[in-house]
Amino acid sequence: KESEELPSPNSLARPTHSPLAHASSAPMASRDLAESLLPGGGASASSSHDEYEERAYDSDDKVSISISDSEPDDDGDPGAARARPAFSWRKLWRFTGPGFLMCIGFLDPGNLEGDLQAGAAAGYQLLWLLLWATVMGALVQLLSARLGVVTGKHLAELCREEYPPWATRALWVMTELALVGADIQEVIGSAIAIKILSGGIVPLWGGVVITAFDCFIFLFLENYGVRKLEAFFGVLIATMAISFAIMFGETKPSGKELLIGLVVPKLSSKTIKQAVGIVGCIIMPHNVFLHSALVQSRKIDTKKKSRVQEAVYYYNIESILALIVSFFINICVTTVFAKGFYGSDKADNIGLENAGQYLQEKYGTALFPVLYIWAIGLLASGQSSTITGTYAGQFVMGGFLNLRLKKWLRAVITRSFAIIPTMIVALFFDTEDPTMDVLNESLNVLQSIQIPFALIPLITLVSSEQLMGSFVVGPITKVS
């Protein structure tokens, strides 16, 4: 019976003499070349469309979430709502990773610039804004994760599918502008840290060149699996937390003023720019696109409602824990500079590079020079955020333009978008000059202007019952 249904090997191997076969040989050669640049290294064109067009991650790269036999299964009725299994620390650990990669967007050098300028210019007065910006940022990131889990697609892909071409192109351009602005800060931050740690031997442009090659670190780690990449970022976040916690301990900011600043809203006309910058550097547009893609690194059967509910539940916990860590780090930086420089002559011209030197002059050396503690934290911030920026750029470009290229090629293209303008900044701006700090402050304001171009599509899509089904957000969430 099998021999009747399946063609014989000889018939498959028999050459065809049709003129059409010869006519199509040239297009086939060019198609093979094009396919060599696609994921899969030239997968056959006869592959199914879904298999050929893998989304944010290849299926082999995704992390498996083990399900025990004792947990409820809904194979009989995939759409049925079932009780969520009991909380499992082991399962939370399996889901942990995307939220911590996402929280790096709350800790990039642009954030540190905004934190230190807010602390120096306004003291403890803008801590309440930092708190509520983080809360709103958390809400946005939870919605982004929900969208990615439920639909199995990330925000850039959904924008391309749901919006007309002109709107898709406009959103892509605005997102790329936000990415380039953030990447300039991230690369410059890394370059400043390298310059400090090298004792000034490596110039700013040299630090930019060194940082430009971090995408190869990213590609190297990705080859060893998603979990290895996430562990690397975990080390960088821990480095930042330890560095800035040491600074906090050395400077001993006022706990009473810290609590008052968190609870009592204050805003003067002199600190409007710093306030807008805080919002822009906390809620970063490209981070919204990034998180909706990162959550797809886990194998989740989106056809089973109980599995989607479980994934959303654990991702919510993980994201909130990650953002608590980021809030702690931002608080440390803001209060250190509020204690040290608020009301001083240096408050108006303090920036990323001279901040460490000012701290060194004021607090000296205890266990370790404060200058190098600042530089280590800044380097960890810059390196982690440039790699996640490259990651976000790949998802944004691939999603909006429907480009399915090999990872190394996408990384090179994405890196080029940021390195060229950053090198121009490094060559034409002297970091000792206050113009660099004005530029960084202006880039934070740019992020604030770009926020609606990420939030409006996100809220529109998570409010669509056709896309989200029973996971559509309610009116209270939309209003807030």
Side-chain angles (χ1 to χ4, degrees), residues 186-200:
E186 294 159 1
V187 176
I188 289 293
S190 289
I192 290 172
I194 292 170
K195 182 178 178 181
I196 294 173
L197 292 172
S198 68

Side-chain angles (χ1 to χ4, degrees), residues 363-393:
Y363 297 103
T365 302
L367 298 176
F368 197 72
V370 177
L371 172 64
Y372 294 112
I373 296 174
W374 165 255
I376 290 170
L378 180 60
L379 181 63
S381 170
Q383 287 297 309
S384 59
S385 56
T386 50
I387 298 175
T388 53
T390 302
Y391 223 9

